[in-house]
Amino acid sequence: AMKQCWPAPERNKGPILDVLRRVLPERGRLLEIASGTGQHALHFARELPRLVLQPSDPDAENLASIRAWRKEAALANLEEPVCLDVLQEPWSVGVFDAIFNANMLHITPWECAEALVRGVGRHLAPEGVFVLYGPFRIGAAHTSPSNEAFDDDLRRRDPRWGVRDLEAVVTLACAEGVALVESGGM
């Protein structure tokens, strides 16, 4: 199995790490939902050695890539990835001090956003932190012309996809007892 390398995670892993360093607990267990190739998981595990990182993904090719990165890196705090599809409820994972998801909500149907937030409500420890990264509309408006073009492209590819309204996701989260503490561009 081959490890894969996508450009987006390489570009954004640094800025995301800066946020994680600031908002995550110093130690504990971090679940990454939709880990993709495993590039984020590897980077965060290396840079946050007191956190045990649990990668997950529903896709067999992605899981193989995560395993390949993990084998090469041999980091004690990077767990074997688990096959996790947010729609297959309940998830077969335990409770985590933090949960992270990047760039999933705009390339999945809205039911996946609902299932993600329900899962976070079930699997996040009471004082836990949920970090969600990706493009959003704010106040029903795109944050840049490039995001608007990206949204149009996504919707052409699949009408169930698209850049989500941050407020709609926050509303879902509140219903699960997960409150928005902070949001911002990077």
Side-chain angles (χ1 to χ4, degrees):
M2 293 298 297
K3 60 179 198 191
Q4 300 176 64
C5 192
W6 295 343
E10 281 306 303
R11 269 199 312 275
N12 63 35
K13 69 186 186 184
I16 293 173
L17 177 66
D18 292 341
V19 174
L20 297 184
R21 274 193 208 288
R22 192 165 54 72
V23 302
L24 292 189
E26 185 160 336
R27 57 188 69 239
R29 299 176 70 226
L30 169 64
L31 171 65
E32 184 182 24
I33 300 290
S35 297
T37 61
Q39 289 159 260
H40 277 156
L42 178 79
H43 185 64
F44 303 155
R46 186 182 285 137
E47 299 295 325
L48 303 166
R50 292 190 195 87
L51 282 176
V52 174
L53 207 137
Q54 174 63 71
S56 75
D57 204 88
D59 179 79
E61 256 183 54
N62 287 349
L63 290 168
S65 177
I66 298 164
R67 284 190 200 101
W69 282 108
R70 180 176 179 264
K71 187 175 178 191
E72 184 184 284
L75 295 168
N77 64 327
L78 184 56
E79 301 279 37
E80 178 71 16
V82 292
C83 183
L84 191 158
D85 177 337
V86 294
L87 295 173
Q88 300 293 310
E89 298 176 80
W91 302 348
S92 55
V93 292
V95 173
F96 290 84
D97 304 291
I99 299 177
F100 170 70
N101 172 250
N103 289 329
M104 179 185 93
L105 296 191
H106 57 286
I107 52 167
T108 52
W110 181 244
E111 303 87 84
C112 291
E114 296 171 327
L116 172 66
V117 171
R118 279 196 303 272
V120 169
R122 284 193 308 269
H123 294 278
L124 190 62
E127 296 299 306
V129 179
F130 174 43
V131 179
L132 185 60
Y133 172 82
F136 291 96
R137 296 194 310 180
I138 297 174
H142 287 287
T143 55
S144 69
S146 63
N147 269 13
E148 186 165 9
F150 181 48
D151 186 40
D152 289 341
D153 179 58
L154 289 170
R155 291 173 195 277
R156 271 196 300 275
R157 284 157 61 190
D158 188 325
R160 300 170 306 160
W161 292 4
V163 174
R164 306 301 178 191
D165 287 303
L166 181 62
E167 295 84 357
V169 178
V170 170
T171 300
L172 285 183
C174 284
E176 300 298 330
V178 179
L180 177 69
V181 177
E182 165 186 334
S183 72
M186 295 190 338

